[in-house]
Amino acid sequence: MKGTTLLALSIFSTVFLSFTPLNKKYIVIDAGHGGNDHGAVFGNFNEKDITLSIAKEIQKLNGNHDEYEVILIRNEDTYPSLSERTNQINTLNPEMVISLHVNTSPQKETSIHGTELYVQNSEESKKLAGKIYKKFKVRKIEERSNLHILRETKAPAVLVELGFINNTADRTYITSENGQKEIAKKFVDIINGN
């Protein structure tokens, strides 16, 4: 009887463990701003809402993945401080960090448009930027050591300005349901190495 119980337990453990990823990797998506910090604003549109909506869509599209899990720094309208964000990231020790933002310029309406990427001084961060460059209309890639999220994050990280909120074409795209789904799908492809 004792032997049968041990055998059953052994089989159960083997089966259970074979379905449990032991070394699940994390991908962190940081939706910029939040709470009282609206970020860039144009009319009724707020950067904090756009970034959160796209972050949630990335997590949703990713679904339950065997190899990694997409973790959102915030999944509601709250404002984790910059140090809270980087502390959480460094505790998770993720494969990559993508910080989502929306750009603006001093003019009420600007002709400047497109994605801007800011990277760490590391090969892995620059490689990640290269993958994003292939998927998006990137107008510039720049190394920045003065941005907290890039400076304090130990994992490969990029800060992505998705478009200009005060450019009509960019604003229409990044605030539309289709645009946000398309942006999220591109990031999921990047995460999956496609």
Side-chain angles (χ1 to χ4, degrees):
M1 182 69 183
K2 199 172 185 183
T4 312
T5 307
L6 283 174
L7 179 64
L9 189 60
S10 173
I11 290 167
F12 172 78
S13 298
T14 306
V15 170
F16 179 74
L17 288 172
S18 66
F19 289 107
T20 307
L22 296 175
N23 293 319
K24 202 164 206 182
K25 296 171 181 167
Y26 297 116
I27 308 292
V28 170
I29 307 295
D30 170 40
H33 306 280
N36 292 328
D37 179 2
H38 295 260
V41 177
F42 189 98
N44 295 324
F45 298 112
N46 292 298
E47 179 176 1
K48 67 172 187 170
D49 299 328
I50 297 165
T51 59
L52 181 59
S53 182
I54 293 168
K56 284 179 166 179
E57 190 63 31
I58 293 168
Q59 190 178 49
K60 184 174 132 193
L61 284 176
N62 179 68
N64 290 327
H65 203 280
D66 287 341
E67 290 176 41
Y68 62 84
E69 184 181 344
V70 170
I71 305 277
L72 304 185
I73 291 292
R74 65 181 185 97
N75 55 15
E76 55 189 17
D77 189 17
T78 55
Y79 179 76
S81 71
L82 292 175
S83 57
E84 284 170 340
R85 289 173 203 245
T86 50
N87 287 343
Q88 185 182 344
I89 290 166
N90 291 333
T91 301
L92 287 167
N93 189 26
E95 292 294 294
M96 67 176 81
V97 179
I98 299 169
S99 185
L100 302 176
H101 290 265
V102 174
N103 226 331
T104 191
S105 66
Q107 306 85 354
K108 183 167 170 50
E109 180 70 31
T110 184
S111 59
I112 304 168
H113 63 93
T115 305
E116 293 184 356
L117 299 176
Y118 297 100
V119 299
Q120 299 161 312
N121 179 17
S122 81
E123 280 312 304
E124 289 303 310
S125 175
K126 289 168 186 171
K127 269 189 210 167
L128 177 54
K131 291 174 186 174
I132 295 168
Y133 181 83
K134 289 177 185 168
K135 295 272 181 190
F136 289 85
K137 291 177 184 155
V138 175
R139 57 185 304 273
K140 80 171 176 183
I141 299 177
E142 196 176 292
E143 193 181 302
R144 282 279 184 93
S145 59
N146 63 335
L147 297 172
H148 181 92
I149 202 93
L150 298 179
R151 186 182 67 244
E152 300 300 325
T153 296
K154 294 182 175 80
V158 293
L159 187 146
V160 185
E161 296 278 6
L162 295 162
F164 283 78
I165 202 166
N166 60 331
N167 173 280
T168 302
D170 277 3
R171 182 175 61 254
T172 302
Y173 182 64
I174 62 178
T175 59
S176 71
E177 190 179 334
N178 283 349
Q180 291 184 354
K181 282 186 172 164
E182 216 172 88
I183 290 166
K185 172 74 169 71
K186 288 177 183 180
F187 280 117
V188 170
D189 286 347
I190 289 159
I191 291 165
N192 283 308
N194 298 334

